[in-house]
């Protein structure tokens, strides 16, 4: 068993051992990546491969949408339609792994590029919450499909989100989710990442909640993120990037008003129900960072 537990885009790696000397930890992670299936694939992959995969995912989504609309119209499915749906599902299963490998590949390249700037810290809830909805290099122990970190709301007593790994294979819910408690994980001792005041400052929460900061952050999300498609947040069914929109019951507050939604139609002709809510400050900060290069605290 190697040192790497999981790799995320945005220069983040969860590792099993406590990393004392960062350069050594990073070297061990990079060596392990080189030997991994996605690391080996790197040499054969060309830039823009993720885009090509998304193109393929879009073709499948389009074919499913057509079948969904036909089903809504006819109220029945022909044997040929069923065959076509099975074919779409099979192609998606292969594509799901390819996309995860391509994303891990990009993440590995990002880590390599920044290997001199990263730090190693004990992972906390804020750090893990920042990775919610992003495809990780973690593999489901039950079926081998890629997994994503999810959160099931914020526990009011601790003010911390409930975190867990979720399998992206479908149909759901067949594979078990895996609870993730950053402070108690046996498999995760350090997180390697870029320095970030939104994760490093002990007074960060007080700053995030300051009225002037909250106002500015809300405006940044509303003006710059709303309606944007995020290539790092992917619908596990359609394998396509999701769009940040206002929730139907949005109340105007930063942490209860926004969610990522999938824009595609399923085989029953209904809009895809996969959602990723934007509900913690670290998540908002990370999303801003992905789009603008800087988080809430600049
Ligand atoms: Zn699974
Ligand atoms: Zn979807």
């Amino acid at each position: 068993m190697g040192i790497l537990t999981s790799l995320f885009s945005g220069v983040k790696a969860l590792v099993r051992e406590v990393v004392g000397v960062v350069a050594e930890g990073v070297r061990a992670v990079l060596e392990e990546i080189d030997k991994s299936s996605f690391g080996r694939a790197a040499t054969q992959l060309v830039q823009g491969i993720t885009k090509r995969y998304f193109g393929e995912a879009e073709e499948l989504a389009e074919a499913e949408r057509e079948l969904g609309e036909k089903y809504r119209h006819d109220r029945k499915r022909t044997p040929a339609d069923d065959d076509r749906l099975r074919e779409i599902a099979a192609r998606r299963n292969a594509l799901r792994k390819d996309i995860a490998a391509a994303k891990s590949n990009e993440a590995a390249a990002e880590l390599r590029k920044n290997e001199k700037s990263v730090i190693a810290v004990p992972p906390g809830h804020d750090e893990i919450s920042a990775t919610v909805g992003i495809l990780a290099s973690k593999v489901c122990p039950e079926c081998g499909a890629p997994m994503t970190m999810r959160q099931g709301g914020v526990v009011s007593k601790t003010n911390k989100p409930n975190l867990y790994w979720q399998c992206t294979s479908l149909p759901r819910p067949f594979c078990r989710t895996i609870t993730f408690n950053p402070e108690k994980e046996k498999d995760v001792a350090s997180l390697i990442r870029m320095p970030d005041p939104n994760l490093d400052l002990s007074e960060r929460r007080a700053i995030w909640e300051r009225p002037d900061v909250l106002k500015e952050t809300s405006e940044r999300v509303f003006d710059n993120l709303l309606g944007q498609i995020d290539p790092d947040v992917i619908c596990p069914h359609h394998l396509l990037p999701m769009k940040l929109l206002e929730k139907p019951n949005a109340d105007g507050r930063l942490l209860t008003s926004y969610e990522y939604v999938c824009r595609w139609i399923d085989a029953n002709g209904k809009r895809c129900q996969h959602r990723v809510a934007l509900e913690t400050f670290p998540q908002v900060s990370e999303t801003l960072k992905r789009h603008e290069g800087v988080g809430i605290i600049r």
Side-chain angles (χ1 to χ4, degrees):
M1 196 182 279
I3 181 174
L4 182 67
T5 305
S6 186
L7 185 68
F8 298 88
S9 57
V11 194
K12 281 202 177 76
L14 290 171
V15 297
R16 282 194 178 87
E17 292 155 27
V18 175
V19 173
V21 181
V22 182
E24 280 173 19
V26 174
R27 201 174 315 126
V29 168
L30 291 174
E31 270 170 25
E32 191 176 324
I33 288 170
D34 285 339
K35 288 185 208 137
S36 70
S37 55
F38 63 84
R40 278 201 308 272
T43 49
Q44 300 139 28
L45 294 177
V46 286
Q47 266 203 331
I49 191 91
T50 318
K51 239 188 202 151
R52 206 184 78 200
Y53 286 146
F54 282 154
E56 203 178 324
E58 200 159 322
E59 275 170 32
L60 296 174
E62 188 56 40
E64 188 186 6
R65 187 188 64 77
E66 278 170 21
L67 285 165
E69 277 169 8
K70 182 168 176 278
Y71 176 76
R72 258 182 109 95
H73 183 261
D74 303 345
R75 289 276 147 223
K76 65 173 168 49
R77 221 168 250 143
T78 65
D81 294 343
D82 285 334
D83 285 348
R84 186 79 186 101
L85 281 174
R86 268 194 292 274
E87 190 194 317
I88 291 171
R91 278 182 64 193
R92 266 198 190 125
N93 279 337
L95 194 58
R96 183 172 291 115
K97 287 184 183 169
D98 289 342
I99 288 179
K103 279 279 168 196
S104 295
N105 221 286
E106 284 179 5
E110 271 180 288
L111 178 62
R112 207 178 293 278
K113 209 173 87 192
N114 293 286
E115 67 179 298
K116 298 238 158 36
S117 321
V118 290
I119 55 171
V121 294
H125 274 81
D126 281 353
E127 267 134 349
I128 305 302
S129 184
T131 67
V132 162
I134 299 193
L135 212 56
S137 72
K138 169 126 179 130
V139 167
C140 172
E142 289 183 45
C143 76
M147 301 187 96
T148 51
M149 186 64 75
R150 301 298 310 265
Q151 62 192 359
V154 176
V155 183
S156 57
K157 208 171 83 186
T158 56
N159 204 17
K160 286 175 179 169
N162 253 326
L163 299 161
Y164 59 93
W165 287 110
Q166 185 178 53
C167 175
T168 59
S169 76
L170 291 152
R172 280 226 198 83
F174 293 140
C175 299
R176 267 165 295 183
T177 57
I178 304 169
T179 307
F180 190 93
N181 185 337
E183 279 101 33
K184 290 186 186 155
E185 286 303 309
K186 283 200 300 289
D187 251 10
V188 177
S190 294
L191 170 70
I192 293 172
R193 62 162 171 81
M194 295 296 278
D196 179 352
N198 291 284
L199 296 169
D200 297 325
L201 291 178
S202 57
E203 69 273 31
R204 59 187 181 273
R205 192 158 296 275
I207 300 176
W208 291 334
E209 288 174 352
R210 236 169 54 197
D212 60 320
V213 176
L214 203 49
K215 184 169 175 283
E216 194 204 341
T217 307
S218 300
E219 283 168 5
R220 284 173 74 193
V221 170
F222 193 85
D223 294 344
N224 307 338
L225 298 187
L226 201 59
Q228 295 290 320
I229 287 164
D230 191 329
D232 282 310
V233 183
I234 297 166
C235 169
H237 176 68
H238 289 101
L239 306 176
L240 283 163
M242 298 175 76
K243 195 176 193 173
L244 191 72
L245 291 179
E246 263 179 315
K247 286 181 182 174
N249 57 349
D251 60 7
R253 285 184 301 162
L254 179 63
L255 302 183
T256 47
S257 294
Y258 304 102
E259 62 185 359
Y260 283 99
V261 299
C262 176
R263 301 157 289 147
W264 291 90
I265 305 289
D266 68 17
N268 295 322
K270 299 207 174 93
R271 194 161 290 277
C272 177
Q273 287 306 301
H274 188 71
R275 301 258 184 286
V276 177
L278 206 60
E279 53 190 352
T280 66
F281 283 110
Q283 238 187 322
V284 172
S285 186
E286 199 74 10
T287 307
L288 282 167
K289 210 167 144 188
R290 281 202 297 277
H291 285 264
E292 306 184 335
V294 278
I296 299 177
I297 306 168
R298 296 161 192 248

